[in-house]
Amino acid sequence: MHEANVPGAMVPPSERRRFARIPCPPDASVRLRAGTSARLVDLGLGGALVESATRITPGAVHATMFVSPEVAFRAHANIVRAYVARVTRDEDGGTSLLYRAGLEFGPMSAVEAGTLGTFVTAALRTAEAGAPADPQRTVSIRFPQGWAVSRKQGSVVARAPDGPRFIVLGAPQNRTDLELGETARRAMEAAGFAALHGQASTINGRPAWVGFYTGRLEDLGAVVVEAAHVVLGDQVYLVAGVTPLAGYETARHEFFAAISSFGSEAGTDGVQLIAAPSSRTANAFDLTAAVPVLSVA
């Protein structure tokens, strides 16, 4: 037998990764539907890549992941893409197909999310230990339990399951000669938000500017944004909570906890290491594009 590569037209042009992916052990598996199991190729906070000799079709599944004898969890997931990865040709001329599929996780229970987060954090730490130091490659943050986390327009976005509340980790931007407060004011003004109040602070030993802003977003109307611009190395990160004005009292503790967790020690109290968002420009934050289906009104 020998394996032949499938023509590029049959495979997606890129295997886009929304989070850092961890290669899984050879015997890791996942049960997708009754009678349908697959090999677990890699795994991250946002989803997984699986492969099987049985055809996999897009759609919702309740997946059970068996990462190792010590690590197993269940997750509601969507199979967002499926394709033929390889064709195997037998000596008698017959062929068989190997399928791959990308899974996108939905909200999880606190226990399941904790199991996944612990595995990913431990794996990233192991990888970091053998790599040159790069403090901006991964960052640590704690999103509220049960919030769906995804990547939108180069930012990491967590969305509450029960209302229009968002926490956004923006792509890092190069630090300039401006004072941090002025950097924050200009960035938020460029995104369409007016400053209400702000002050210099420190977040886990890192210089920060924490401010409150207001503006309007399509479909949400008037919103309040609690945002921290945090210096990490020679770059500035944006960590922001976004909610309609009427919902701020409900959201403020969640926003404060997430913002305060940025840069803290991973693996404690739900804080996780994640791949840092990728910068798309050198000078502009794009908070509004990151919030799902919303734009400046």
Side-chain angles (χ1 to χ4, degrees):
M1 298 174 62
H2 69 278
E3 294 178 346
N5 291 329
V6 178
M10 298 181 67
V11 180
S14 65
E15 280 293 312
R16 285 179 287 182
R17 293 288 178 255
R18 294 164 60 176
F19 294 91
R21 287 293 180 86
I22 309 303
C24 292
D27 57 351
S29 64
V30 55
R31 185 168 64 242
L32 298 173
R33 302 182 177 99
T36 302
S37 294
R39 184 173 79 86
L40 194 55
V41 178
D42 61 36
L43 181 66
L45 294 178
L49 179 67
V50 304
E51 69 177 20
S52 174
T54 302
R55 185 183 179 193
I56 304 172
T57 56
V61 294
H62 191 69
T64 303
M65 311 279 176
F66 301 98
V67 183
S68 72
E70 298 79 23
V71 180
F73 66 95
R74 292 178 296 178
H76 291 287
N78 281 315
I79 298 174
V80 294
R81 65 184 187 280
Y83 57 93
V84 176
R86 286 199 302 274
V87 176
T88 300
R89 294 189 174 87
D90 301 322
E91 294 179 356
D92 61 2
T95 61
S96 58
L97 305 179
L98 184 68
Y99 299 89
R100 282 196 169 189
L103 274 63
E104 182 178 281
F105 295 149
M108 298 182 188
S109 70
V111 173
E112 308 293 358
T115 298
L116 173 60
T118 298
F119 168 75
V120 170
T121 296
L124 286 174
R125 278 181 166 176
T126 300
E128 290 276 312
D134 184 358
Q136 279 126 20
R137 184 169 54 187
T138 59
V139 294
S140 57
I141 191 169
R142 178 181 59 246
F143 292 117
Q145 291 183 346
W147 287 36
V149 181
S150 61
R151 287 187 182 255
K152 301 287 184 181
Q153 299 294 326
S155 299
V156 179
V157 181
R159 182 172 188 165
D162 57 350
R165 307 191 304 281
F166 306 90
I167 294 172
V168 179
L169 172 60
Q173 306 297 321
N174 294 332
R175 192 174 183 183
T176 69
D177 292 333
L178 292 174
E179 293 185 355
L180 188 56
E182 183 64 12
T183 296
R185 187 192 67 79
R186 291 189 182 188
M188 297 302 290
E189 185 177 83
F193 297 96
L196 298 174
H197 171 72
Q199 63 183 21
S201 182
T202 58
I203 295 179
N204 295 303
R206 296 172 174 84
W209 183 271
V210 179
F212 293 84
Y213 308 83
T214 187
R216 295 189 65 83
L217 292 176
E218 190 175 322
D219 296 337
L220 284 188
V223 297
V224 61
V225 179
E226 182 176 353
H229 290 76
V230 188
V231 177
L232 184 59
D234 61 352
Q235 295 184 308
V236 180
Y237 283 81
L238 168 69
V239 187
V242 184
T243 187
L245 287 172
Y248 179 70
E249 282 303 310
T250 300
R252 66 189 183 93
H253 295 296
E254 296 166 316
F255 291 173
F256 177 81
I259 290 171
S260 299
S261 74
F262 182 77
S264 58
E265 184 178 355
T268 60
D269 197 23
V271 176
Q272 299 174 345
L273 279 175
I274 65 172
S278 298
S279 297
R280 294 180 298 132
T281 66
N283 301 307
F285 294 99
D286 194 0
L287 173 63
T288 55
V291 177
V293 305
L294 301 172
S295 59
V296 174

